[in-house]
């Protein structure tokens, strides 16, 4: 039996700086048997991401920011239920206690969300004290790894939440950068 036009058994999407992955991306790839997503910038994978890939047998997910917590326990269950082999290069980078461990050898109980949050990236710019004079503009930027839709960044000054105040020239902007891998405010 031949394959449909345009379909291939293997798909190499490695090293493309992909941060956002959704099940819709794989809708017409039901005959795909091998998928390589290594070298991309995602930290986590949404539940059911590969549900349309009924023929998938080999999956590579090596990422410098792969966060192995309870949000990936679905993946272990799915891999086992569908006899998919995770590549040896698919190792956890975060949290620290799982760093360097192959995801395929973990058990669901090891993928917890009860520890301290560790972010692959958390950066404040400027990172040092700044000397400014009255009337000068001082942009501050906080950037953190994007791990889930509920993640938010908040600014506080003297213990109080900072909000946009146009009359005082204080403006807050939220952005999702670099293909859904960084949250900036």
């Amino acid at each position: 039996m031949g394959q449909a036009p345009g379909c291939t058994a293997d798909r190499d999407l490695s090293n493309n700086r992909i941060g956002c992955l959704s099940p819709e991306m794989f809708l017409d790839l039901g005959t795909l048997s091998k998928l390589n997503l290594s070298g991309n910038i995602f930290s986590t994978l949404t539940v059911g991401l590969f549900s349309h890939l009924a023929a998938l047998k080999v999956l590579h997910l090596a990422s410098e920011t792969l966060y192995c917590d309870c949000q990936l326990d679905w993946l272990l269950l799915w891999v086992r239920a569908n006899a998919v082999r995770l590549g040896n290069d698919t190792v956890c980078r975060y949290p620290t206690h799982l760093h360097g461990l192959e995801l395929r050898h973990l058990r669901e109980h090891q993928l917890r969300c009860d520890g301290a949050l560790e972010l692959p990236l958390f950066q404040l710019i400027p990172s040092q004290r700044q000397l400014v004079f009255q009337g000068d503009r001082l942009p501050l930027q906080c950037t953190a790894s994007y791990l889930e839709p509920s993640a938010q960044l908040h600014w506080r000054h003297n213990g109080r939440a900072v909000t946009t105040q146009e009359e005082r020239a204080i403006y807050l902007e939220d952005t999702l950068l670099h293909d859904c891998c960084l949250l900036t405010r």
Side-chain angles (χ1 to χ4, degrees):
M1 179 180 272
Q3 292 179 330
C7 292
T8 61
D10 296 354
R11 187 63 51 113
D12 187 350
L13 297 174
S14 62
N15 302 308
N16 281 299
R17 301 202 46 81
I18 299 170
C20 283
L21 295 165
S22 67
E24 294 77 28
M25 297 171 72
F26 305 111
L27 268 176
D28 297 326
L29 300 174
T31 60
L32 193 67
S33 62
K34 182 178 179 183
L35 177 61
N36 186 353
L37 291 168
S38 296
N40 286 298
I41 55 177
F42 55 84
S43 294
T44 192
L45 302 166
T46 57
V47 175
L49 179 63
F50 307 114
S51 59
H52 300 296
L53 301 179
L56 194 65
K57 293 299 169 207
V58 179
L59 179 61
H60 294 274
L61 297 170
S63 169
E64 288 298 313
T65 56
L66 188 60
Y67 202 97
C68 297
D69 67 357
C70 64
Q71 292 185 71
L72 282 188
D73 60 0
W74 74 269
L75 181 63
L76 288 182
L77 295 170
W78 180 84
V79 161
R80 291 181 187 127
N82 292 283
V84 174
R85 185 176 70 79
L86 278 177
N88 298 349
D89 56 351
T90 304
V91 297
C92 301
R93 299 299 178 179
Y94 301 91
T96 304
H97 72 279
L98 296 178
H99 180 82
L101 297 179
E102 290 181 27
L103 181 59
R104 67 186 178 151
H105 293 308
L106 298 179
R107 298 290 170 243
E108 294 81 30
H109 73 273
Q110 292 175 282
L111 300 176
R112 301 185 322 257
C113 287
D114 57 1
L117 180 62
E118 295 177 46
L119 295 174
L121 175 71
F122 185 75
Q123 181 180 41
L124 181 62
I125 298 173
S127 61
Q128 308 267 331
R129 291 180 179 257
Q130 296 290 306
L131 176 63
V132 293
F133 298 98
Q134 187 171 350
D136 285 353
R137 186 173 179 265
L138 178 63
L140 302 172
Q141 177 178 310
C142 184
T143 301
S145 299
Y146 177 77
L147 296 177
E148 63 175 71
S150 67
Q152 296 179 340
L153 294 174
H154 297 280
W155 288 97
R156 300 186 78 70
H157 181 260
N158 292 333
R160 298 171 75 179
V162 175
T163 58
T164 294
Q165 300 171 33
E166 291 183 22
E167 68 281 357
R168 296 182 63 202
I170 298 174
Y171 301 95
L172 294 180
E173 295 177 9
D174 293 310
T175 56
L176 200 52
L177 299 173
H178 302 295
D179 199 23
C180 301
C181 72
L182 298 177
L183 181 64
T184 298
R185 183 170 227 203

